[in-house]
Short mmCIF file of all heavy atoms in Angstrom, two decimals:
data_model
loop_
_atom_site.label_atom_id
_atom_site.label_comp_id
_atom_site.label_asym_id
_atom_site.label_seq_id
_atom_site.Cartn_x
_atom_site.Cartn_y
_atom_site.Cartn_z
N GLN H 148 19.35 13.70 -14.17
CA GLN H 148 18.42 13.26 -15.21
C GLN H 148 17.68 14.48 -15.80
O GLN H 148 17.76 15.58 -15.28
CB GLN H 148 17.40 12.26 -14.64
CG GLN H 148 17.95 10.86 -14.47
CD GLN H 148 19.05 10.77 -13.45
OE1 GLN H 148 18.86 11.11 -12.29
NE2 GLN H 148 20.23 10.35 -13.86
N THR H 149 17.01 14.21 -16.92
CA THR H 149 16.23 15.26 -17.56
C THR H 149 14.83 14.73 -17.86
O THR H 149 14.51 13.57 -17.55
CB THR H 149 16.86 15.71 -18.88
OG1 THR H 149 16.66 14.66 -19.86
CG2 THR H 149 18.35 15.99 -18.73
N TYR H 150 14.03 15.58 -18.51
CA TYR H 150 12.69 15.16 -18.92
C TYR H 150 12.75 13.92 -19.81
O TYR H 150 11.80 13.16 -19.87
CB TYR H 150 11.99 16.31 -19.65
CG TYR H 150 12.55 16.59 -21.03
CD1 TYR H 150 11.89 16.13 -22.17
CD2 TYR H 150 13.74 17.29 -21.20
CE1 TYR H 150 12.41 16.36 -23.43
CE2 TYR H 150 14.26 17.52 -22.46
CZ TYR H 150 13.60 17.05 -23.57
OH TYR H 150 14.12 17.28 -24.82
N GLN H 151 13.87 13.70 -20.49
CA GLN H 151 13.98 12.54 -21.38
C GLN H 151 14.06 11.23 -20.61
O GLN H 151 13.81 10.16 -21.17
CB GLN H 151 15.21 12.69 -22.28
CG GLN H 151 15.07 13.83 -23.28
CD GLN H 151 16.31 13.98 -24.14
OE1 GLN H 151 17.40 14.18 -23.63
NE2 GLN H 151 16.12 13.89 -25.45
N ASP H 152 14.45 11.31 -19.34
CA ASP H 152 14.52 10.11 -18.51
C ASP H 152 13.22 9.82 -17.77
O ASP H 152 13.12 8.83 -17.04
CB ASP H 152 15.64 10.27 -17.46
CG ASP H 152 16.99 10.51 -18.10
OD1 ASP H 152 17.48 9.59 -18.77
OD2 ASP H 152 17.54 11.62 -17.96
N ALA H 153 12.24 10.69 -17.95
CA ALA H 153 11.00 10.56 -17.18
C ALA H 153 10.22 9.30 -17.57
O ALA H 153 10.25 8.88 -18.73
CB ALA H 153 10.12 11.78 -17.39
N LEU H 154 9.56 8.73 -16.59
CA LEU H 154 8.50 7.78 -16.87
C LEU H 154 7.31 8.59 -17.36
O LEU H 154 6.85 9.51 -16.67
CB LEU H 154 8.10 7.02 -15.59
CG LEU H 154 6.78 6.26 -15.65
CD1 LEU H 154 6.85 5.09 -16.64
CD2 LEU H 154 6.37 5.77 -14.27
N VAL H 155 6.83 8.31 -18.57
CA VAL H 155 5.71 9.05 -19.15
C VAL H 155 4.60 8.06 -19.42
O VAL H 155 4.79 7.09 -20.16
CB VAL H 155 6.11 9.76 -20.45
CG1 VAL H 155 4.91 10.51 -21.03
CG2 VAL H 155 7.26 10.73 -20.18
N CYS H 156 3.46 8.26 -18.78
CA CYS H 156 2.35 7.33 -18.97
C CYS H 156 1.02 8.05 -18.83
O CYS H 156 0.97 9.21 -18.41
CB CYS H 156 2.45 6.17 -17.96
SG CYS H 156 2.52 6.65 -16.24
N THR H 157 -0.04 7.39 -19.22
CA THR H 157 -1.38 7.93 -19.07
C THR H 157 -2.26 6.84 -18.48
O THR H 157 -1.97 5.65 -18.60
CB THR H 157 -2.01 8.36 -20.42
OG1 THR H 157 -2.36 7.19 -21.17
CG2 THR H 157 -1.05 9.22 -21.24
N VAL H 158 -3.36 7.26 -17.87
CA VAL H 158 -4.37 6.28 -17.43
C VAL H 158 -5.75 6.94 -17.58
O VAL H 158 -5.91 8.12 -17.25
CB VAL H 158 -4.10 5.78 -15.99
CG1 VAL H 158 -3.94 6.93 -15.02
CG2 VAL H 158 -5.17 4.82 -15.52
N ASN H 159 -6.68 6.20 -18.14
CA ASN H 159 -8.02 6.73 -18.35
C ASN H 159 -8.81 6.64 -17.06
O ASN H 159 -8.96 5.55 -16.50
CB ASN H 159 -8.74 5.94 -19.46
CG ASN H 159 -8.16 6.19 -20.83
OD1 ASN H 159 -7.09 6.79 -20.95
ND2 ASN H 159 -8.85 5.74 -21.86
N LEU H 160 -9.31 7.77 -16.60
CA LEU H 160 -10.02 7.81 -15.32
C LEU H 160 -11.53 7.89 -15.53
O LEU H 160 -12.01 8.27 -16.59
CB LEU H 160 -9.53 9.00 -14.50
CG LEU H 160 -8.03 8.99 -14.17
CD1 LEU H 160 -7.67 10.16 -13.26
CD2 LEU H 160 -7.63 7.68 -13.50
N MET H 161 -12.24 7.50 -14.48
CA MET H 161 -13.71 7.54 -14.47
C MET H 161 -14.19 8.40 -13.31
O MET H 161 -13.47 8.58 -12.33
CB MET H 161 -14.26 6.12 -14.26
CG MET H 161 -13.90 5.13 -15.33
SD MET H 161 -14.56 3.50 -14.86
CE MET H 161 -13.95 2.52 -16.24
N GLU H 162 -15.41 8.84 -13.42
CA GLU H 162 -16.01 9.61 -12.32
C GLU H 162 -15.89 8.81 -11.02
O GLU H 162 -16.19 7.61 -10.98
CB GLU H 162 -17.48 9.88 -12.62
CG GLU H 162 -18.24 10.42 -11.43
CD GLU H 162 -19.10 11.62 -11.75
OE1 GLU H 162 -19.68 11.65 -12.83
OE2 GLU H 162 -19.16 12.55 -10.91
N GLY H 163 -15.45 9.49 -9.96
CA GLY H 163 -15.33 8.84 -8.67
C GLY H 163 -13.95 8.30 -8.37
O GLY H 163 -13.63 8.03 -7.21
N ASP H 164 -13.13 8.13 -9.40
CA ASP H 164 -11.76 7.66 -9.16
C ASP H 164 -11.04 8.62 -8.21
O ASP H 164 -11.21 9.84 -8.30
CB ASP H 164 -10.97 7.59 -10.47
CG ASP H 164 -11.33 6.38 -11.31
OD1 ASP H 164 -12.07 5.51 -10.82
OD2 ASP H 164 -10.87 6.31 -12.46
N MET H 165 -10.23 8.06 -7.32
CA MET H 165 -9.42 8.87 -6.41
C MET H 165 -7.96 8.73 -6.81
O MET H 165 -7.50 7.62 -7.10
CB MET H 165 -9.57 8.40 -4.96
CG MET H 165 -10.98 8.39 -4.43
SD MET H 165 -11.64 10.05 -4.12
CE MET H 165 -10.62 10.55 -2.74
N ILE H 166 -7.23 9.83 -6.78
CA ILE H 166 -5.79 9.81 -7.04
C ILE H 166 -5.09 10.15 -5.73
O ILE H 166 -5.46 11.12 -5.07
CB ILE H 166 -5.41 10.86 -8.11
CG1 ILE H 166 -6.18 10.62 -9.41
CG2 ILE H 166 -3.90 10.85 -8.36
CD1 ILE H 166 -6.11 11.82 -10.36
N VAL H 167 -4.12 9.35 -5.36
CA VAL H 167 -3.29 9.67 -4.19
C VAL H 167 -1.85 9.78 -4.67
O VAL H 167 -1.29 8.82 -5.21
CB VAL H 167 -3.40 8.58 -3.10
CG1 VAL H 167 -2.46 8.90 -1.94
CG2 VAL H 167 -4.84 8.48 -2.60
N SER H 168 -1.28 10.97 -4.52
CA SER H 168 0.09 11.21 -4.97
C SER H 168 0.90 11.75 -3.80
O SER H 168 0.35 12.36 -2.89
CB SER H 168 0.07 12.21 -6.14
OG SER H 168 1.35 12.37 -6.69
N GLY H 169 2.20 11.51 -3.82
CA GLY H 169 2.98 12.00 -2.70
C GLY H 169 4.47 11.89 -2.95
O GLY H 169 4.92 11.27 -3.92
N SER H 170 5.23 12.50 -2.07
CA SER H 170 6.69 12.36 -2.09
C SER H 170 7.05 11.01 -1.48
O SER H 170 6.20 10.33 -0.88
CB SER H 170 7.34 13.51 -1.31
OG SER H 170 6.79 13.61 -0.01
N ASP H 171 8.31 10.60 -1.61
CA ASP H 171 8.71 9.29 -1.07
C ASP H 171 8.54 9.23 0.44
O ASP H 171 8.31 8.15 1.00
CB ASP H 171 10.13 8.93 -1.49
CG ASP H 171 11.18 9.84 -0.86
OD1 ASP H 171 10.89 11.04 -0.69
OD2 ASP H 171 12.28 9.36 -0.54
N GLY H 172 8.61 10.38 1.11
CA GLY H 172 8.39 10.42 2.55
C GLY H 172 6.99 9.95 2.93
O GLY H 172 6.75 9.51 4.06
N PHE H 173 6.06 10.04 1.99
CA PHE H 173 4.72 9.49 2.22
C PHE H 173 4.69 7.99 1.95
O PHE H 173 4.37 7.20 2.84
CB PHE H 173 3.70 10.23 1.35
CG PHE H 173 2.32 9.64 1.42
CD1 PHE H 173 1.61 9.64 2.61
CD2 PHE H 173 1.74 9.05 0.31
CE1 PHE H 173 0.33 9.07 2.69
CE2 PHE H 173 0.47 8.48 0.38
CZ PHE H 173 -0.23 8.49 1.57
N PHE H 174 5.04 7.59 0.72
CA PHE H 174 4.88 6.19 0.34
C PHE H 174 5.84 5.25 1.08
O PHE H 174 5.57 4.06 1.21
CB PHE H 174 5.02 6.02 -1.17
CG PHE H 174 3.84 6.58 -1.93
CD1 PHE H 174 3.97 7.74 -2.68
CD2 PHE H 174 2.61 5.95 -1.88
CE1 PHE H 174 2.88 8.26 -3.37
CE2 PHE H 174 1.51 6.46 -2.57
CZ PHE H 174 1.65 7.62 -3.32
N ASP H 175 6.96 5.79 1.60
CA ASP H 175 7.88 4.95 2.38
C ASP H 175 7.31 4.60 3.74
O ASP H 175 7.85 3.73 4.44
CB ASP H 175 9.22 5.68 2.59
CG ASP H 175 10.13 5.57 1.38
OD1 ASP H 175 9.88 4.70 0.52
OD2 ASP H 175 11.09 6.36 1.29
N ASN H 176 6.25 5.30 4.15
CA ASN H 176 5.75 5.15 5.51
C ASN H 176 4.30 4.69 5.60
O ASN H 176 3.68 4.79 6.66
CB ASN H 176 5.91 6.48 6.26
CG ASN H 176 7.36 6.77 6.63
OD1 ASN H 176 7.99 5.96 7.29
ND2 ASN H 176 7.89 7.89 6.16
N ILE H 177 3.75 4.22 4.51
CA ILE H 177 2.35 3.80 4.54
C ILE H 177 2.14 2.67 3.53
O ILE H 177 2.76 2.66 2.46
CB ILE H 177 1.42 5.01 4.26
CG1 ILE H 177 0.00 4.71 4.70
CG2 ILE H 177 1.49 5.45 2.80
CD1 ILE H 177 -0.86 5.98 4.86
N PHE H 178 1.27 1.73 3.90
CA PHE H 178 0.95 0.61 3.00
C PHE H 178 -0.33 0.91 2.22
O PHE H 178 -1.18 1.68 2.67
CB PHE H 178 0.79 -0.68 3.81
CG PHE H 178 2.08 -1.21 4.37
CD1 PHE H 178 2.47 -0.89 5.66
CD2 PHE H 178 2.91 -2.01 3.60
CE1 PHE H 178 3.67 -1.37 6.18
CE2 PHE H 178 4.11 -2.48 4.10
CZ PHE H 178 4.50 -2.16 5.39
N ASP H 179 -0.44 0.26 1.06
CA ASP H 179 -1.62 0.45 0.22
C ASP H 179 -2.92 0.21 0.99
O ASP H 179 -3.89 0.96 0.84
CB ASP H 179 -1.59 -0.49 -0.99
CG ASP H 179 -0.66 0.01 -2.09
OD1 ASP H 179 0.01 1.05 -1.88
OD2 ASP H 179 -0.61 -0.63 -3.16
N GLN H 180 -2.94 -0.87 1.80
CA GLN H 180 -4.17 -1.19 2.53
C GLN H 180 -4.55 -0.06 3.50
O GLN H 180 -5.73 0.19 3.75
CB GLN H 180 -4.03 -2.52 3.29
CG GLN H 180 -3.97 -3.74 2.37
CD GLN H 180 -5.19 -3.88 1.46
OE1 GLN H 180 -6.32 -3.63 1.89
NE2 GLN H 180 -4.97 -4.22 0.20
N GLU H 181 -3.52 0.61 4.05
CA GLU H 181 -3.80 1.74 4.94
C GLU H 181 -4.35 2.93 4.15
O GLU H 181 -5.27 3.63 4.61
CB GLU H 181 -2.52 2.15 5.67
CG GLU H 181 -1.99 1.08 6.63
CD GLU H 181 -0.69 1.49 7.30
OE1 GLU H 181 0.26 1.91 6.58
OE2 GLU H 181 -0.59 1.37 8.53
N ILE H 182 -3.80 3.15 2.97
CA ILE H 182 -4.29 4.24 2.12
C ILE H 182 -5.76 4.00 1.78
O ILE H 182 -6.60 4.90 1.90
CB ILE H 182 -3.44 4.36 0.83
CG1 ILE H 182 -2.01 4.80 1.17
CG2 ILE H 182 -4.10 5.34 -0.16
CD1 ILE H 182 -1.06 4.79 -0.03
N LEU H 183 -6.07 2.76 1.40
CA LEU H 183 -7.46 2.44 1.03
C LEU H 183 -8.40 2.65 2.21
O LEU H 183 -9.50 3.18 2.05
CB LEU H 183 -7.54 0.98 0.55
CG LEU H 183 -6.79 0.67 -0.75
CD1 LEU H 183 -6.84 -0.83 -1.05
CD2 LEU H 183 -7.34 1.47 -1.92
N ALA H 184 -7.94 2.25 3.40
CA ALA H 184 -8.79 2.38 4.59
C ALA H 184 -9.04 3.86 4.91
O ALA H 184 -10.18 4.26 5.19
CB ALA H 184 -8.14 1.68 5.78
N VAL H 185 -8.00 4.67 4.86
CA VAL H 185 -8.15 6.09 5.17
C VAL H 185 -9.06 6.77 4.15
O VAL H 185 -9.95 7.56 4.50
CB VAL H 185 -6.77 6.80 5.22
CG1 VAL H 185 -6.95 8.31 5.30
CG2 VAL H 185 -5.95 6.29 6.40
N ILE H 186 -8.85 6.44 2.87
CA ILE H 186 -9.67 7.04 1.82
C ILE H 186 -11.15 6.70 2.04
O ILE H 186 -12.03 7.56 1.92
CB ILE H 186 -9.22 6.55 0.42
CG1 ILE H 186 -7.85 7.15 0.05
CG2 ILE H 186 -10.25 6.85 -0.65
CD1 ILE H 186 -7.87 8.62 -0.31
N SER H 187 -11.42 5.44 2.40
CA SER H 187 -12.82 5.02 2.55
C SER H 187 -13.48 5.66 3.76
O SER H 187 -14.70 5.79 3.81
CB SER H 187 -12.91 3.49 2.63
OG SER H 187 -12.46 3.05 3.89
N GLU H 188 -12.66 6.05 4.74
CA GLU H 188 -13.22 6.61 5.98
C GLU H 188 -13.29 8.13 5.98
O GLU H 188 -13.86 8.72 6.89
CB GLU H 188 -12.35 6.17 7.18
CG GLU H 188 -12.48 4.69 7.51
CD GLU H 188 -11.28 4.18 8.31
OE1 GLU H 188 -10.45 5.00 8.74
OE2 GLU H 188 -11.18 2.94 8.48
N SER H 189 -12.67 8.78 4.98
CA SER H 189 -12.58 10.23 5.00
C SER H 189 -13.79 10.87 4.31
O SER H 189 -14.21 10.42 3.26
CB SER H 189 -11.30 10.69 4.30
OG SER H 189 -10.17 10.21 4.99
N PRO H 190 -14.34 11.92 4.93
CA PRO H 190 -15.52 12.56 4.34
C PRO H 190 -15.21 13.35 3.07
O PRO H 190 -16.09 13.56 2.25
CB PRO H 190 -16.02 13.49 5.46
CG PRO H 190 -14.82 13.73 6.32
CD PRO H 190 -13.98 12.50 6.23
N GLY H 191 -13.96 13.77 2.90
CA GLY H 191 -13.62 14.57 1.72
C GLY H 191 -12.14 14.50 1.43
O GLY H 191 -11.36 13.88 2.16
N ILE H 192 -11.74 15.14 0.33
CA ILE H 192 -10.36 15.05 -0.11
C ILE H 192 -9.40 15.77 0.84
O ILE H 192 -8.28 15.31 1.07
CB ILE H 192 -10.20 15.61 -1.54
CG1 ILE H 192 -10.88 16.98 -1.64
CG2 ILE H 192 -10.76 14.65 -2.57
CD1 ILE H 192 -10.61 17.69 -2.93
N ASP H 193 -9.84 16.89 1.42
CA ASP H 193 -8.95 17.61 2.33
C ASP H 193 -8.70 16.79 3.59
O ASP H 193 -7.56 16.67 4.06
CB ASP H 193 -9.56 18.96 2.70
CG ASP H 193 -9.64 19.88 1.49
OD1 ASP H 193 -8.67 19.94 0.71
OD2 ASP H 193 -10.69 20.52 1.30
N GLU H 194 -9.78 16.21 4.11
CA GLU H 194 -9.64 15.38 5.30
C GLU H 194 -8.79 14.14 5.00
O GLU H 194 -7.99 13.71 5.84
CB GLU H 194 -11.03 14.93 5.80
CG GLU H 194 -11.92 16.06 6.31
CD GLU H 194 -12.73 16.73 5.20
OE1 GLU H 194 -12.43 16.49 4.01
OE2 GLU H 194 -13.65 17.50 5.53
N ALA H 195 -8.98 13.58 3.79
CA ALA H 195 -8.21 12.39 3.42
C ALA H 195 -6.72 12.73 3.33
O ALA H 195 -5.87 11.99 3.85
CB ALA H 195 -8.70 11.84 2.09
#
Side-chain angles (χ1 to χ4, degrees):
Chain H
Q148 282 65 59
T149 72
Y150 72 101
Q151 293 179 302
D152 301 294
L154 165 67
V155 179
C156 56
T157 73
V158 53
N159 291 11
L160 300 184
M161 298 177 182
E162 169 133 38
D164 283 352
M165 302 288 292
I166 303 166
V167 176
S168 186
S170 53
D171 67 325
F173 174 64
F174 289 108
D175 279 344
N176 286 304
I177 197 162
F178 289 95
D179 281 4
Q180 290 303 320
E181 295 177 310
I182 294 174
L183 295 175
V185 170
I186 289 287
S187 74
E188 289 159 9
S189 297
I192 49 172
D193 294 317
E194 295 86 347

